[in-house]
């Protein structure tokens, strides 16, 4: 029987065809349970493929395993993979003598799964701007860093390291300086800044294409700041103030000098009205104004009578000069009378009760700690997990709290196309958890692996980061005698 040439062709082609080769990547995380934070659901037995600093594929493990190979593999064993955590309110400062102690805080964020931080201004703006570039360019290990640079303030404010503004000309010069520094947003505070210049600063930031964040002067209503274009309200007590029925009258009386700050605060504490608050919060949501509650900082100070934090194990990671900056708030709290302590406790709970109202009104809540110098026992790294626990304690669901720490920050910066999810094209900033954070928010504390810009930190590497800072702090303590 003769074999024709036509019959041989398919066989020859089959022999000539190259064997299928998988695409090459740098990293594959296999058999992970991916947490879809946006939709509050989990996807089992997924693989995530990383090339450089990018996720390039996500899908069913059996399919991905056939299509991809990688130089590094992480076996998740069903653990829960979330987007990297963001702390949207941190501080670095204390003066030039504390630069190295502040720098030693950066590894603490990575070790706690925090892949991005937003510096809300201290008194080391030039140093923080330099760190931002060094981290971006790979010269310094640290989380992605956004910063406001120097804050805008009035003349001779209580806060150091500020751009002092006493006139429109001063404000114009300050905004020009911030644009030259290529800051990521503008921070405005109210120690001595006049109400008129505060509003002008908010409008000026917006006119220069920058988001404005800050504290709102007592002589203004929160609505005036919102109307001027403020993008995020820092600290929950300002959101509480917006829910006070006669807020405008209190602001006017304070501005005219008819009442002092203590009396203004007394009237604010007594004047909260739920209907007024919900109307204001729906207005926040309509205008895209976010709120960063920083609950943990307030809780620590308000309950120092119950916990003086003298035996906190985390103090081993905080430099002695940074710890010394805690003293002024501790000393101030210690002078409170029993009646003032009781009022402090009541005020904390009164303000914290606003949190679920904001969520109900559709306001985007951002997780931020206020951690750093001055803010006593509010620790970089672990503080964010404490903040999320408080969010749930005060009425948010674990899914809502997790979203506040993974999606709210990117939403504020307009980068949800890059961050806040696990999908092809997103940044390879990831955290692998032992347990499901949608069921228990405290699961964010049990970290197996962190991936930051595509670099893998397993548990051993994360512990090494902690030990690195601990060893530096121990050496500084020895040097101080």
């Amino acid at each position: 029987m003769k074999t024709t040439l036509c019959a041989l062709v398919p066989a020859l082609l089959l022999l000539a065809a190259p064997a299928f080769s998988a695409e090459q990547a740098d990293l594959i995380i296999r058999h992970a349970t991916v947490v879809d934070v946006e939709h509050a659901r989990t996807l089992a037995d997924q693989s995530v493929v990383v090339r450089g600093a990018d996720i390039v594929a996500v899908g069913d493990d059996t399919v991905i395993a056939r299509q991809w190979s990688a130089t590094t593999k992480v076996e998740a064993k069903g653990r829960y993979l979330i987007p990297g955590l963001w702390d949207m309110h941190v501080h670095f400062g204390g003066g030039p003598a504390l630069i190295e102690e502040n720098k030693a805080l950066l590894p603490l964020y990575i070790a706690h799964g925090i892949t991005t931080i937003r510096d809300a201004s201290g008194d080391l703006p030039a140093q923080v701007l330099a760190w931002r570039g060094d981290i971006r360019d790979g010269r310094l290990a640290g989380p992605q860093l956004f910063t406001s640079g120097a804050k805008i303030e009035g003349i001779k404010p209580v806060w150091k390291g500020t751009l002092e503004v006493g006139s429109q000309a001063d404000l114009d010069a300050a905004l020009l300086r911030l644009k030259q520094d290529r800051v990521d947003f503008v921070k405005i505070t109210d120690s001595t800044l006049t109400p008129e210049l505060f509003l002008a600063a908010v409008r000026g930031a917006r006119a220069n294409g920058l988001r404005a964040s800050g504290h709102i002067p007592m002589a203004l209503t929160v609505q005036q700041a919102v109307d001027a274009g403020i993008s995020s309200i820092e600290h929950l007590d300002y959101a509480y103030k917006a829910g006070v029925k006669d807020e405008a009258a209190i602001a006017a009386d304070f501005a005219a000098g008819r009442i002092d700050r203590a009396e203004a605060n007394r009237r604010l504490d007594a004047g909260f009205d739920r209907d007024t608050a919900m109307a204001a919060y729906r207005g926040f949501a309509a205008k895209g104004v976010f709120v960063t509650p920083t609950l943990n900082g307030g809780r620590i100070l308000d309950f120092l009578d119950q916990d003086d934090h003298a035996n906190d194990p985390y103090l081993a990671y905080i430099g002695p000069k940074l710890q010394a900056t805690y003293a002024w708030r501790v000393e101030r709290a210690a002078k409170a009378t029993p009646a003032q302590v009781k009022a402090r406790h009541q005020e904390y709970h009164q303000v914290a009760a606003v949190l679920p109202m904001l969520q109900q009104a559709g306001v985007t809540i951002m997780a931020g700690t206020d951690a750093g110098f001055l803010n006593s026992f509010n620790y970089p790294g672990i503080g964010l997990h404490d903040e999320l626990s408080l969010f749930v304690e005060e009425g948010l669901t674990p899914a809502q709290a997790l979203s506040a720490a993974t999606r709210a920050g990117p939403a504020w910066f307009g980068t949800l196309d890059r961050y806040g999810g696990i999908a092809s094209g997103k940044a390879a900033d990831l955290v692998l958890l032992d347990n499901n954070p949608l069921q228990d928010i405290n699961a964010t504390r049990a970290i197996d692996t962190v991936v930051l810009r595509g670099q893998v930190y397993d548990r051993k590497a994360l512990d090494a980061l902690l030990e690195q800072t601990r060893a530096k702090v121990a050496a500084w303590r020895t040097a101080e005698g």
Side-chain angles (χ1 to χ4, degrees):
M1 181 179 177
K2 292 183 179 180
T3 303
T4 66
L5 182 60
C6 290
L8 285 172
V9 168
L12 291 171
L13 288 174
L14 185 62
L15 289 171
F20 174 78
S21 60
E23 284 198 68
Q24 186 66 29
D26 297 315
L27 166 68
I28 296 180
I29 303 171
R30 295 198 60 187
H31 302 293
T33 304
V34 167
V35 179
D36 175 359
V37 181
E38 182 181 7
H39 301 102
R41 62 177 182 170
T42 58
L43 303 169
D45 205 31
Q46 300 288 291
S47 276
V48 178
V49 183
V50 174
R51 185 184 284 153
D54 304 317
I55 298 172
V56 294
V58 180
D60 181 83
D61 180 77
T62 56
V63 175
I64 293 292
R66 287 197 302 267
Q67 296 175 343
W68 293 88
S69 62
T71 52
T72 301
K73 293 181 182 178
V74 171
E75 176 50 66
K77 297 181 180 178
R79 292 185 178 91
Y80 295 83
L81 192 66
I82 65 170
L85 299 168
W86 289 43
D87 187 335
M88 286 292 285
H89 194 121
V90 310
H91 294 288
F92 298 99
L98 276 70
I99 287 174
E100 289 305 312
E101 289 193 14
N102 277 274
K103 192 175 183 179
L105 301 175
L106 293 171
L108 301 180
Y109 288 107
I110 302 172
H112 289 89
I114 299 163
T115 56
T116 297
I117 56 176
R118 183 183 67 153
D119 164 56
S121 192
D123 59 10
L124 298 172
Q127 193 64 52
V128 176
L129 284 163
W131 290 342
R132 179 185 65 174
D134 289 344
I135 291 168
R136 182 188 58 228
D137 297 338
R139 296 187 296 270
L140 176 64
Q144 176 176 225
L145 172 56
F146 294 115
T147 180
S148 64
K151 69 177 74 64
I152 291 177
E153 249 293 0
I155 303 299
K156 295 182 180 179
V158 66
W159 307 118
K160 297 177 181 178
T162 65
L163 299 174
E164 296 189 14
V165 169
S167 66
Q168 184 61 49
D170 290 345
L171 177 58
D172 293 342
L175 289 169
L176 178 62
R177 157 79 181 279
L178 293 174
K179 284 205 76 174
Q180 289 171 341
D181 286 342
R182 297 184 178 180
V183 298
D184 300 297
F185 68 106
V186 175
K187 177 73 179 293
I188 311 165
T189 52
D190 64 334
S191 168
T192 60
L193 188 66
T194 67
E196 296 76 19
L197 284 172
F198 178 92
L199 295 175
V202 173
R203 289 191 292 264
R206 201 172 187 90
N208 280 277
L210 292 164
R211 294 168 181 83
S213 160
H215 304 175
I216 299 166
M218 182 68 82
L220 294 173
T221 66
V222 175
Q223 189 60 49
Q224 285 174 291
V226 169
D227 290 342
I230 200 165
S231 295
S232 73
I233 294 170
E234 306 304 312
H235 315 301
L236 197 58
D237 50 349
Y238 292 107
Y240 174 91
K241 183 174 181 280
V244 173
K245 199 165 190 177
D246 60 344
E247 181 200 10
I250 296 169
D253 284 347
F254 181 82
R258 290 187 290 269
I259 59 173
D260 61 12
R261 187 171 293 273
E263 175 60 14
N265 281 325
R266 188 198 67 76
R267 287 171 61 182
L268 289 171
D269 288 345
F272 188 83
D273 174 71
R274 182 181 176 86
D275 290 341
T276 300
M278 289 303 292
Y281 302 159
R282 284 190 288 268
F284 290 4
K287 291 206 170 188
V289 177
F290 290 22
V291 174
T292 314
T294 66
L295 272 180
N296 193 44
R299 178 193 63 83
I300 291 167
L301 293 173
D302 290 341
F303 291 90
L304 277 174
D305 58 300
Q306 296 180 6
D307 183 359
D308 65 5
H309 297 272
N311 297 314
D312 284 358
Y314 210 86
L315 288 169
Y317 303 106
I318 308 299
K321 290 186 175 70
L322 278 173
Q323 287 190 41
T325 71
Y326 292 173
W328 77 292
R329 291 194 192 276
V330 173
E331 290 166 3
R332 188 173 65 179
K335 294 174 183 176
T337 66
Q340 288 171 328
V341 169
K342 182 179 179 182
R344 217 162 55 196
H345 293 180
Q346 181 180 340
E347 184 176 353
Y348 170 80
H349 291 299
Q350 196 169 316
V351 171
V354 160
L355 188 71
M357 295 171 63
L358 289 167
Q359 184 75 41
Q360 183 183 342
V363 177
T364 301
I365 296 166
M366 294 195 291
T369 57
D370 214 7
F373 78 116
L374 294 178
N375 294 328
S376 314
F377 313 112
N378 196 352
Y379 304 123
I382 195 68
L384 184 69
H385 301 277
D386 294 338
E387 185 78 9
L388 297 184
S389 295
L390 289 175
F391 281 7
V392 173
E393 187 177 307
E394 297 301 333
L396 299 194
T397 67
Q400 289 165 346
L402 188 62
S403 183
T406 56
R407 292 182 57 79
W412 194 73
F413 278 115
T415 56
L416 271 175
D417 60 330
R418 179 71 178 156
Y419 301 97
I422 301 174
S424 180
K426 302 276 191 183
D429 291 350
L430 304 162
V431 184
L432 190 62
L433 305 173
D434 290 338
N435 302 304
N436 185 355
L438 297 180
Q439 294 178 350
D440 180 0
I441 196 60
N442 290 309
T444 62
R445 301 171 187 267
I447 297 171
D448 177 83
T449 302
V450 173
V451 180
L452 175 61
R453 294 183 291 277
Q455 181 178 348
V456 177
Y457 295 83
D458 61 12
R459 189 62 256 172
K460 183 178 179 181
L462 296 173
D463 290 339
L465 289 176
L466 292 170
E467 181 53 36
Q468 169 188 323
T469 297
R470 181 194 287 268
K472 286 181 178 180
V473 169
W476 288 327
R477 284 179 175 165
T478 300
E480 287 201 347

